Amino acid sequence: MRDCITFRCIKPEKLLSEVGMKRIALFTCVFTVIIFGQSFSQTEEGAYLHIDYLKVDAGNFSEFENMVSSEWKSVYENEAGPEKMTGLFFYKVLYPSGEMSDYNYAIVTTYNNLDAVIEINDRVKKKLATINADEVNKPADFVTHQFSELWDTEAEIMSISGKPVSTFMVMNYMMVNPGKEAEYLTLENDMARPLHEERINKGEMHSWRTFSLLQPGGINYGYNFATADYFDKVSDIEYGFTNELIKSVMPGSDINEMFNAIYATRDIVKSELWQLIESVE
């Protein structure tokens, strides 16, 4: 199985319209070098992401994490072949936390096709229900499935040197304005991607990904895109898009105009820090 969540690069048909391209021409002209160096790998297209958000009662965290490692992990491995499910990741949500949080754990599975998402998740739920029925202290007594989401992949930069899986991930949930989806994705690829690439080269970041929400949808849902920033050390989350970084990667660019172009396409709804507790590679 793949050892990390995979994302595909934006396709040509998703490029900006002529008006949108003129708007960011100031920035795109500085990227005449190929952004895929030898330090990074391009992932396969067609990856889908299923996320289950769970709420575990306070006081049962250790029990739940032990159950994930000893029972749940093997259920996913047995019910899904590597040709269909390409990755499995159990995360603990470090921030936000507490009783007021909607969820405190997330199960992330990745797939090559949409049919496999439904097929495998149905099998896993049935198997887990059978196991739970035989337990004296049932997981259902302290674990609540809050909701699920289905994501489509858009872009990634992944370091192939050092540790293949990062310990920490910052999930940034975005609401992209209607009609701005193509422009937003182009800005992520043309502006954010080279900056993240430099952070990875400097050892301040493990990898980076962007993905779009397939289901559920609608303007009332709250967000429709997300970026995932992966780190080996939690202290590295402090290093963001500094003026020094931007000037070194994009010399001569207008930083204020660059950020104004980004802000015009989307709002950051929320940002969360997750810690990996188990994975299937």
Side-chain angles (χ1 to χ4, degrees):
M1 292 186 177
R2 291 194 58 83
D3 52 11
C4 63
I5 303 171
T6 55
F7 299 86
R8 69 171 182 267
C9 275
I10 184 171
K11 294 181 177 180
E13 60 266 27
K14 289 185 177 180
L15 293 176
L16 284 175
S17 63
E18 182 179 356
V19 174
M21 288 300 295
K22 289 180 179 179
R23 181 179 180 183
I24 64 169
L26 172 64
F27 313 110
T28 58
C29 65
V30 301
F31 302 117
T32 58
V33 297
I34 299 176
I35 59 179
F36 293 81
Q38 293 182 351
S39 300
F40 306 97
S41 64
Q42 175 69 41
T43 57
E44 63 190 275
E45 294 191 2
Y48 298 94
L49 193 75
H50 177 93
I51 303 181
D52 289 308
Y53 297 86
L54 309 176
K55 184 66 177 286
V56 177
D57 294 344
N60 294 105
F61 294 164
S62 296
E63 182 177 358
F64 173 70
E65 291 178 18
N66 289 333
M67 183 175 60
V68 164
S69 298
S70 62
E71 297 183 16
W72 285 27
K73 179 179 176 180
S74 61
V75 169
Y76 279 91
E77 288 182 293
N78 293 333
E79 297 301 320
E83 72 280 358
K84 291 185 178 180
M85 190 178 76
T86 57
L88 169 64
F89 310 88
F90 287 89
Y91 285 98
K92 181 177 183 178
V93 181
L94 298 181
Y95 297 96
S97 61
E99 289 299 318
M100 298 302 292
S101 301
D102 293 332
Y103 49 87
N104 44 31
Y105 287 88
I107 303 174
V108 179
T109 49
T110 59
Y111 303 86
N112 288 325
N113 62 79
L114 284 174
D115 292 330
V117 177
I118 306 302
E119 173 190 348
I120 293 175
N121 275 278
D122 283 346
R123 292 208 307 260
V124 167
K125 289 178 181 178
K126 290 178 182 178
K127 184 62 176 179
L128 289 178
T130 301
I131 294 176
N132 295 345
D134 297 332
E135 296 281 347
V136 176
N137 184 21
K138 299 180 178 61
D141 295 337
F142 58 86
V143 180
T144 303
H145 178 266
Q146 299 291 71
F147 58 96
S148 300
E149 293 174 341
L150 181 62
W151 297 84
D152 193 5
T153 64
E154 298 294 348
E156 95 156 359
I157 304 174
M158 182 184 73
S159 174
I160 60 174
S161 61
K163 213 166 78 168
V165 181
S166 68
T167 304
F168 301 98
M169 175 176 68
V170 175
M171 282 286 288
N172 303 297
Y173 296 86
M174 315 284 187
M175 174 53 76
V176 175
N177 300 326
K180 297 288 186 177
E181 294 86 358
E183 183 175 351
Y184 165 73
L185 288 173
T186 300
L187 290 170
E188 286 285 2
N189 275 280
D190 288 350
M191 295 166 59
R193 178 192 291 271
L195 296 173
H196 288 307
E197 185 179 32
E198 179 62 18
R199 296 174 70 191
I200 294 171
N201 277 328
K202 294 172 65 177
E204 298 173 354
M205 193 176 187
H206 181 276
S207 51
W208 166 83
R209 294 161 182 85
T210 298
F211 43 104
S212 57
L213 184 64
L214 283 179
Q215 290 294 327
I219 59 174
N220 293 326
Y221 191 68
Y223 52 83
N224 52 11
F225 284 83
T227 61
D229 303 332
Y230 296 81
F231 303 93
D232 294 321
K233 300 182 299 181
V234 70
S235 57
D236 285 337
I237 68 174
E238 289 188 291
Y239 300 100
F241 289 173
T242 63
N243 288 345
E244 179 183 4
L245 175 68
I246 295 173
K247 289 179 180 178
S248 66
V249 177
M250 306 162 62
S253 63
D254 187 317
I255 296 176
N256 291 329
E257 188 171 350
M258 180 186 75
F259 280 106
N260 287 337
I262 296 175
Y263 297 151
T265 64
R266 60 98 174 113
D267 293 309
I268 298 179
V269 176
K270 60 179 180 177
S271 182
E272 300 178 347
L273 177 61
W274 296 7
Q275 181 179 14
L276 186 68
I277 61 172
E278 193 64 77
S279 64
V280 174
E281 304 176 15

